[in-house]
PDB file of all heavy atoms in Angstrom:
ATOM      1  N   ASP A 199    -109.866  10.100  87.146  1.00 97.00           N
ATOM      2  CA  ASP A 199    -111.308  10.135  86.958  1.00 97.00           C
ATOM      3  C   ASP A 199    -111.734   9.121  85.895  1.00 97.00           C
ATOM      4  O   ASP A 199    -110.926   8.705  85.058  1.00 97.00           O
ATOM      5  CB  ASP A 199    -111.731  11.544  86.525  1.00 97.00           C
ATOM      6  CG  ASP A 199    -113.182  11.851  86.866  1.00 97.00           C
ATOM      7  OD1 ASP A 199    -113.806  11.047  87.574  1.00 97.00           O
ATOM      8  OD2 ASP A 199    -113.680  12.895  86.427  1.00 97.00           O
ATOM      9  N   ALA A 200    -112.990   8.735  85.943  1.00 98.00           N
ATOM     10  CA  ALA A 200    -113.550   7.878  84.891  1.00 98.00           C
ATOM     11  C   ALA A 200    -115.061   7.944  84.968  1.00 98.00           C
ATOM     12  O   ALA A 200    -115.645   8.253  86.016  1.00 98.00           O
ATOM     13  CB  ALA A 200    -113.076   6.435  85.034  1.00 98.00           C
ATOM     14  N   HIS A 201    -115.684   7.634  83.838  1.00 98.00           N
ATOM     15  CA  HIS A 201    -117.138   7.600  83.763  1.00 98.00           C
ATOM     16  C   HIS A 201    -117.559   6.346  83.019  1.00 98.00           C
ATOM     17  O   HIS A 201    -117.034   6.042  81.950  1.00 98.00           O
ATOM     18  CB  HIS A 201    -117.667   8.868  83.092  1.00 98.00           C
ATOM     19  CG  HIS A 201    -117.363  10.093  83.900  1.00 98.00           C
ATOM     20  ND1 HIS A 201    -116.176  10.783  83.752  1.00 98.00           N
ATOM     21  CD2 HIS A 201    -118.049  10.695  84.897  1.00 98.00           C
ATOM     22  CE1 HIS A 201    -116.157  11.782  84.621  1.00 98.00           C
ATOM     23  NE2 HIS A 201    -117.269  11.745  85.323  1.00 98.00           N
ATOM     24  N   ILE A 202    -118.480   5.624  83.626  1.00 98.00           N
ATOM     25  CA  ILE A 202    -118.977   4.375  83.075  1.00 98.00           C
ATOM     26  C   ILE A 202    -120.388   4.628  82.573  1.00 98.00           C
ATOM     27  O   ILE A 202    -121.249   5.117  83.315  1.00 98.00           O
ATOM     28  CB  ILE A 202    -118.981   3.265  84.138  1.00 98.00           C
ATOM     29  CG1 ILE A 202    -117.572   3.059  84.708  1.00 98.00           C
ATOM     30  CG2 ILE A 202    -119.527   1.961  83.564  1.00 98.00           C
ATOM     31  CD1 ILE A 202    -117.540   2.214  85.964  1.00 98.00           C
ATOM     32  N   PHE A 203    -120.618   4.308  81.323  1.00 98.00           N
ATOM     33  CA  PHE A 203    -121.943   4.423  80.718  1.00 98.00           C
ATOM     34  C   PHE A 203    -122.487   3.000  80.576  1.00 98.00           C
ATOM     35  O   PHE A 203    -121.883   2.166  79.899  1.00 98.00           O
ATOM     36  CB  PHE A 203    -121.858   5.131  79.375  1.00 98.00           C
ATOM     37  CG  PHE A 203    -121.265   6.519  79.469  1.00 98.00           C
ATOM     38  CD1 PHE A 203    -119.891   6.714  79.369  1.00 98.00           C
ATOM     39  CD2 PHE A 203    -122.078   7.616  79.675  1.00 98.00           C
ATOM     40  CE1 PHE A 203    -119.342   7.986  79.468  1.00 98.00           C
ATOM     41  CE2 PHE A 203    -121.534   8.893  79.783  1.00 98.00           C
ATOM     42  CZ  PHE A 203    -120.162   9.082  79.671  1.00 98.00           C
ATOM     43  N   CYS A 204    -123.609   2.727  81.228  1.00 98.00           N
ATOM     44  CA  CYS A 204    -124.098   1.359  81.265  1.00 98.00           C
ATOM     45  C   CYS A 204    -125.617   1.331  81.226  1.00 98.00           C
ATOM     46  O   CYS A 204    -126.285   2.366  81.322  1.00 98.00           O
ATOM     47  CB  CYS A 204    -123.578   0.640  82.507  1.00 98.00           C
ATOM     48  SG  CYS A 204    -124.179   1.305  84.083  1.00 98.00           S
ATOM     49  N   SER A 205    -126.162   0.131  81.085  1.00 97.00           N
ATOM     50  CA  SER A 205    -127.605  -0.060  81.159  1.00 97.00           C
ATOM     51  C   SER A 205    -128.005  -0.236  82.624  1.00 97.00           C
ATOM     52  O   SER A 205    -127.157  -0.572  83.465  1.00 97.00           O
ATOM     53  CB  SER A 205    -128.015  -1.281  80.346  1.00 97.00           C
ATOM     54  OG  SER A 205    -127.363  -2.443  80.843  1.00 97.00           O
ATOM     55  N   PRO A 206    -129.281  -0.050  82.957  1.00 95.00           N
ATOM     56  CA  PRO A 206    -129.690  -0.167  84.367  1.00 95.00           C
ATOM     57  C   PRO A 206    -129.354  -1.512  84.997  1.00 95.00           C
ATOM     58  O   PRO A 206    -129.009  -1.572  86.183  1.00 95.00           O
ATOM     59  CB  PRO A 206    -131.202   0.071  84.314  1.00 95.00           C
ATOM     60  CG  PRO A 206    -131.390   0.959  83.120  1.00 95.00           C
ATOM     61  CD  PRO A 206    -130.386   0.473  82.110  1.00 95.00           C
ATOM     62  N   ASP A 207    -129.451  -2.602  84.226  1.00 95.00           N
ATOM     63  CA  ASP A 207    -129.183  -3.917  84.809  1.00 95.00           C
ATOM     64  C   ASP A 207    -127.689  -4.185  85.006  1.00 95.00           C
ATOM     65  O   ASP A 207    -127.315  -5.215  85.566  1.00 95.00           O
ATOM     66  CB  ASP A 207    -129.806  -5.026  83.963  1.00 95.00           C
ATOM     67  CG  ASP A 207    -129.249  -5.087  82.550  1.00 95.00           C
ATOM     68  OD1 ASP A 207    -128.550  -4.140  82.133  1.00 95.00           O
ATOM     69  OD2 ASP A 207    -129.504  -6.096  81.862  1.00 95.00           O
ATOM     70  N   GLN A 208    -126.825  -3.265  84.591  1.00 97.00           N
ATOM     71  CA  GLN A 208    -125.383  -3.418  84.784  1.00 97.00           C
ATOM     72  C   GLN A 208    -124.857  -2.610  85.972  1.00 97.00           C
ATOM     73  O   GLN A 208    -123.672  -2.705  86.313  1.00 97.00           O
ATOM     74  CB  GLN A 208    -124.632  -2.986  83.513  1.00 97.00           C
ATOM     75  CG  GLN A 208    -124.897  -3.865  82.313  1.00 97.00           C
ATOM     76  CD  GLN A 208    -124.337  -3.287  81.009  1.00 97.00           C
ATOM     77  OE1 GLN A 208    -124.249  -2.059  80.853  1.00 97.00           O
ATOM     78  NE2 GLN A 208    -123.961  -4.152  80.082  1.00 97.00           N
ATOM     79  N   ILE A 209    -125.718  -1.839  86.613  1.00 96.00           N
ATOM     80  CA  ILE A 209    -125.266  -0.924  87.673  1.00 96.00           C
ATOM     81  C   ILE A 209    -124.592  -1.672  88.812  1.00 96.00           C
ATOM     82  O   ILE A 209    -123.485  -1.321  89.244  1.00 96.00           O
ATOM     83  CB  ILE A 209    -126.445  -0.093  88.208  1.00 96.00           C
ATOM     84  CG1 ILE A 209    -126.955   0.883  87.145  1.00 96.00           C
ATOM     85  CG2 ILE A 209    -126.026   0.679  89.465  1.00 96.00           C
ATOM     86  CD1 ILE A 209    -128.225   1.620  87.545  1.00 96.00           C
ATOM     87  N   ALA A 210    -125.237  -2.712  89.326  1.00 95.00           N
ATOM     88  CA  ALA A 210    -124.719  -3.403  90.510  1.00 95.00           C
ATOM     89  C   ALA A 210    -123.327  -3.963  90.265  1.00 95.00           C
ATOM     90  O   ALA A 210    -122.414  -3.796  91.097  1.00 95.00           O
ATOM     91  CB  ALA A 210    -125.681  -4.516  90.924  1.00 95.00           C
ATOM     92  N   ALA A 211    -123.137  -4.616  89.121  1.00 96.00           N
ATOM     93  CA  ALA A 211    -121.831  -5.209  88.817  1.00 96.00           C
ATOM     94  C   ALA A 211    -120.763  -4.132  88.661  1.00 96.00           C
ATOM     95  O   ALA A 211    -119.625  -4.309  89.117  1.00 96.00           O
ATOM     96  CB  ALA A 211    -121.921  -6.062  87.551  1.00 96.00           C
ATOM     97  N   GLU A 212    -121.112  -3.019  88.012  1.00 97.00           N
ATOM     98  CA  GLU A 212    -120.123  -1.968  87.779  1.00 97.00           C
ATOM     99  C   GLU A 212    -119.724  -1.262  89.077  1.00 97.00           C
ATOM    100  O   GLU A 212    -118.547  -1.007  89.312  1.00 97.00           O
ATOM    101  CB  GLU A 212    -120.664  -0.958  86.762  1.00 97.00           C
ATOM    102  CG  GLU A 212    -120.768  -1.502  85.352  1.00 97.00           C
ATOM    103  CD  GLU A 212    -119.432  -2.007  84.834  1.00 97.00           C
ATOM    104  OE1 GLU A 212    -118.449  -1.250  84.854  1.00 97.00           O
ATOM    105  OE2 GLU A 212    -119.382  -3.187  84.424  1.00 97.00           O
ATOM    106  N   VAL A 213    -120.691  -0.945  89.922  1.00 97.00           N
ATOM    107  CA  VAL A 213    -120.367  -0.297  91.196  1.00 97.00           C
ATOM    108  C   VAL A 213    -119.527  -1.233  92.050  1.00 97.00           C
ATOM    109  O   VAL A 213    -118.528  -0.822  92.663  1.00 97.00           O
ATOM    110  CB  VAL A 213    -121.653   0.121  91.940  1.00 97.00           C
ATOM    111  CG1 VAL A 213    -121.318   0.594  93.354  1.00 97.00           C
ATOM    112  CG2 VAL A 213    -122.373   1.218  91.187  1.00 97.00           C
ATOM    113  N   GLY A 214    -119.874  -2.508  92.092  1.00 95.00           N
ATOM    114  CA  GLY A 214    -119.088  -3.471  92.852  1.00 95.00           C
ATOM    115  C   GLY A 214    -117.669  -3.588  92.344  1.00 95.00           C
ATOM    116  O   GLY A 214    -116.713  -3.662  93.135  1.00 95.00           O
ATOM    117  N   ALA A 215    -117.493  -3.597  91.017  1.00 97.00           N
ATOM    118  CA  ALA A 215    -116.155  -3.696  90.445  1.00 97.00           C
ATOM    119  C   ALA A 215    -115.307  -2.468  90.787  1.00 97.00           C
ATOM    120  O   ALA A 215    -114.102  -2.582  91.022  1.00 97.00           O
ATOM    121  CB  ALA A 215    -116.243  -3.865  88.928  1.00 97.00           C
ATOM    122  N   VAL A 216    -115.932  -1.294  90.830  1.00 97.00           N
ATOM    123  CA  VAL A 216    -115.198  -0.083  91.204  1.00 97.00           C
ATOM    124  C   VAL A 216    -114.736  -0.171  92.654  1.00 97.00           C
ATOM    125  O   VAL A 216    -113.586   0.160  92.980  1.00 97.00           O
ATOM    126  CB  VAL A 216    -116.066   1.173  90.992  1.00 97.00           C
ATOM    127  CG1 VAL A 216    -115.385   2.400  91.587  1.00 97.00           C
ATOM    128  CG2 VAL A 216    -116.317   1.400  89.502  1.00 97.00           C
ATOM    129  N   LEU A 217    -115.599  -0.627  93.546  1.00 96.00           N
ATOM    130  CA  LEU A 217    -115.204  -0.766  94.953  1.00 96.00           C
ATOM    131  C   LEU A 217    -114.038  -1.738  95.096  1.00 96.00           C
ATOM    132  O   LEU A 217    -113.113  -1.507  95.888  1.00 96.00           O
ATOM    133  CB  LEU A 217    -116.400  -1.243  95.787  1.00 96.00           C
ATOM    134  CG  LEU A 217    -117.555  -0.234  95.929  1.00 96.00           C
ATOM    135  CD1 LEU A 217    -118.728  -0.877  96.678  1.00 96.00           C
ATOM    136  CD2 LEU A 217    -117.103   1.028  96.641  1.00 96.00           C
ATOM    137  N   ASP A 218    -114.049  -2.811  94.320  1.00 95.00           N
ATOM    138  CA  ASP A 218    -112.938  -3.761  94.356  1.00 95.00           C
ATOM    139  C   ASP A 218    -111.639  -3.118  93.885  1.00 95.00           C
ATOM    140  O   ASP A 218    -110.568  -3.352  94.455  1.00 95.00           O
ATOM    141  CB  ASP A 218    -113.257  -4.977  93.479  1.00 95.00           C
ATOM    142  CG  ASP A 218    -114.370  -5.846  94.062  1.00 95.00           C
ATOM    143  OD1 ASP A 218    -114.653  -5.710  95.273  1.00 95.00           O
ATOM    144  OD2 ASP A 218    -114.957  -6.644  93.303  1.00 95.00           O
ATOM    145  N   LEU A 219    -111.727  -2.295  92.827  1.00 97.00           N
ATOM    146  CA  LEU A 219    -110.537  -1.588  92.330  1.00 97.00           C
ATOM    147  C   LEU A 219    -109.976  -0.637  93.390  1.00 97.00           C
ATOM    148  O   LEU A 219    -108.759  -0.531  93.561  1.00 97.00           O
ATOM    149  CB  LEU A 219    -110.886  -0.795  91.067  1.00 97.00           C
ATOM    150  CG  LEU A 219    -110.861  -1.530  89.734  1.00 97.00           C
ATOM    151  CD1 LEU A 219    -111.369  -0.602  88.626  1.00 97.00           C
ATOM    152  CD2 LEU A 219    -109.463  -2.019  89.401  1.00 97.00           C
ATOM    153  N   ILE A 220    -110.854   0.047  94.091  1.00 97.00           N
ATOM    154  CA  ILE A 220    -110.420   1.000  95.125  1.00 97.00           C
ATOM    155  C   ILE A 220    -109.664   0.274  96.232  1.00 97.00           C
ATOM    156  O   ILE A 220    -108.571   0.692  96.630  1.00 97.00           O
ATOM    157  CB  ILE A 220    -111.630   1.762  95.691  1.00 97.00           C
ATOM    158  CG1 ILE A 220    -112.204   2.718  94.642  1.00 97.00           C
ATOM    159  CG2 ILE A 220    -111.242   2.534  96.958  1.00 97.00           C
ATOM    160  CD1 ILE A 220    -113.528   3.352  95.033  1.00 97.00           C
ATOM    161  N   ILE A 221    -110.227  -0.827  96.722  1.00 96.00           N
ATOM    162  CA  ILE A 221    -109.590  -1.558  97.824  1.00 96.00           C
ATOM    163  C   ILE A 221    -108.238  -2.112  97.383  1.00 96.00           C
ATOM    164  O   ILE A 221    -107.247  -2.039  98.132  1.00 96.00           O
ATOM    165  CB  ILE A 221    -110.508  -2.690  98.316  1.00 96.00           C
ATOM    166  CG1 ILE A 221    -111.827  -2.114  98.830  1.00 96.00           C
ATOM    167  CG2 ILE A 221    -109.814  -3.497  99.403  1.00 96.00           C
ATOM    168  CD1 ILE A 221    -111.680  -1.017  99.847  1.00 96.00           C
ATOM    169  N   ALA A 222    -108.159  -2.653  96.175  1.00 96.00           N
ATOM    170  CA  ALA A 222    -106.884  -3.176  95.678  1.00 96.00           C
ATOM    171  C   ALA A 222    -105.850  -2.062  95.551  1.00 96.00           C
ATOM    172  O   ALA A 222    -104.677  -2.241  95.895  1.00 96.00           O
ATOM    173  CB  ALA A 222    -107.101  -3.863  94.327  1.00 96.00           C
TER     174      ALA A 222
END
């Protein structure tokens, strides 16, 4: 599990990075 605390303008990059981690 993990939780990312970010600003609204960081959401897209963070969600995309998580999807990349999952596929790898």
Side-chain angles (χ1 to χ4, degrees):
D199 204 9
H201 296 88
I202 302 167
F203 301 89
C204 65
S205 59
D207 62 348
Q208 295 170 330
I209 292 173
E212 290 303 306
V213 171
V216 171
L217 292 175
D218 291 342
L219 276 174
I220 291 171
I221 299 308

